[in-house]
Amino acid sequence: MNSIFERRSIRSYQDKHVPDEIIETVLRAGMYAPSAGNEQPWEFVVIRSKKMLESLCSIHPHAKALLSCNVAIAICGNLSCQKYSAQYWVLDCTLAGQNIMLQAQEMGLGSVWLGVYPCKYRMENIVELLHLPQNVVPLSIIALGYPAGSIPETEDRFKRSKIHLELW
């Protein structure tokens, strides 16, 4: 539970290599997320190239964290996995991303979620940049790395006023 309570969005990283074994572990955690009908619609693009990270940053106006991170993971939904007409892939891939960030926290990495979907401009340009197949939609990018500087204090986010019993 500590990973849940201690995880914070980290936007500045040390210039320190994140080993492939750690990336595989965080991706494994992502693949253990629940999914509707066990579709497991996620696809992951691991990005290490500084040139690619800079290109992604130029597409996404709030992605400056990509300039200092060592690695990023683009989380995409494979629409050919859909069993239902609803867009459950969005929820499923979001859960995979949460698992990735929690596992990264547990392994001493910082991360930040960078939303792509449903912004059409970001989606179209990332599809082109990453050469995604027609049936694969980019949902988000997670910047990963060893945090630079101090990590923000953990604040108590529990608010009893947000809890409603039985009825509103």
Side-chain angles (χ1 to χ4, degrees):
M1 293 283 283
N2 284 344
S3 292
I4 293 171
F5 297 126
E6 294 173 2
R7 195 210 68 77
R8 291 289 169 266
S9 294
I10 304 298
R11 294 174 176 83
S12 183
Y13 304 93
Q14 298 176 37
D15 185 17
K16 182 178 174 185
H17 180 75
V18 177
D20 291 339
E21 301 78 38
I22 290 179
I23 300 304
E24 184 172 320
T25 300
V26 300
L27 291 171
R28 181 179 298 273
M31 292 180 197
Y32 272 78
S35 62
N38 200 28
E39 290 177 350
Q40 302 175 31
W42 39 72
E43 302 282 347
F44 307 102
V45 181
V46 177
I47 304 148
R48 286 194 181 272
S49 157
K50 288 296 182 188
K51 183 177 179 187
M52 288 289 280
L53 293 168
E54 289 170 6
S55 295
L56 285 168
C57 190
S58 71
I59 292 168
H60 194 307
H62 308 292
K64 301 296 182 238
L66 294 173
L67 297 176
S68 68
C69 76
N70 182 260
V71 61
I73 299 171
I75 301 176
C76 305
N78 186 336
L79 302 183
S80 65
C81 295
Q82 291 186 116
K83 294 179 181 177
Y84 310 107
S85 60
Q87 300 285 312
Y88 291 125
W89 71 268
V90 174
L91 306 172
D92 299 339
C93 291
T94 300
L95 290 167
Q98 178 74 0
N99 278 12
I100 286 169
M101 292 188 300
L102 291 174
Q103 184 63 47
Q105 166 71 25
E106 188 151 313
M107 300 182 86
L109 296 176
S111 65
V112 66
W113 177 276
L114 305 165
V116 174
Y117 179 90
C119 180
K120 189 174 180 168
Y121 172 81
R122 293 178 201 169
M123 291 169 56
E124 289 173 349
N125 285 280
I126 290 172
V127 163
E128 185 178 326
L129 179 67
L130 300 180
H131 298 175
L132 300 180
Q134 190 173 24
N135 60 313
V136 175
V137 180
L139 174 79
S140 64
I141 300 165
I142 296 177
L144 288 172
Y146 295 97
S150 61
I151 297 173
E153 285 290 318
T154 301
E155 62 184 49
D156 186 3
R157 294 183 179 185
F158 181 81
K159 294 179 178 55
R160 195 164 300 282
S161 64
K162 300 280 186 181
I163 301 170
H164 311 278
L165 301 175
E166 305 295 337
L167 304 170
W168 190 271

